Amino acid sequence: GLEKRFFVAGAQSAGIAGDAHWGSLKWLKEYLEVHRVDADRISEICDPLFTLQHLRTKLNAHAGGNEAATIRRDLLKKFGSPRQHIHELTLQVAESLDAIEAIVTSAVKPA
């Protein structure tokens, strides 16, 4: 997972109070906003991570029922195969992580 403490500290140093119940992805979003990343770019970066988190929660090894079946069916319809979906999502997550690294690196660069 992402290092939540880093994003908490970065957002709080800019005056964001946040919430004790926020997870690392919400803190990441706040961190990006504090560093004046464009809202569309924040969505591009965070959406794949939120999707991955959602699917991990809804489609874990013990997931069943109508919701999980509906998600699986919709993903299969959209991507054609589980492998293709994993490939696409992996590319998106990798791009997100690269973008986060670039933003963090430029934000913590020594003066």
Side-chain angles (χ1 to χ4, degrees):
L2 298 173
E3 184 61 45
K4 179 180 169 181
R5 290 178 292 166
F6 175 83
F7 297 112
V8 170
Q12 287 180 339
S13 70
I16 303 298
D19 185 297
H21 296 98
W22 285 359
S24 58
L25 295 181
K26 177 62 177 162
W27 280 109
L28 166 63
K29 188 172 184 240
E30 293 298 318
Y31 177 91
L32 294 173
E33 289 175 2
V34 162
H35 285 86
R36 302 188 194 285
V37 176
D38 179 77
D40 289 337
R41 185 67 176 134
I42 291 173
S43 290
E44 290 173 3
I45 292 169
C46 293
D47 287 353
L49 301 171
F50 282 119
T51 297
L52 182 62
Q53 181 183 50
H54 173 76
L55 292 174
R56 185 190 71 203
T57 301
K58 297 296 181 180
L59 300 177
N60 68 47
H62 304 289
N66 290 336
E67 185 178 15
T70 299
I71 292 170
R72 286 184 181 101
R73 184 180 62 246
D74 291 346
L75 290 173
L76 190 58
K77 184 186 284 186
K78 182 176 180 179
F79 294 98
S81 71
R83 180 184 175 124
Q84 186 60 32
H85 173 246
I86 291 168
H87 176 76
E88 294 292 328
L89 186 55
T90 301
L91 289 175
Q92 292 172 359
V93 169
E95 289 171 2
S96 293
L97 295 174
D98 287 344
I100 293 166
E101 179 182 29
I103 292 164
V104 166
T105 300
S106 69
V108 296
K109 194 184 308 181

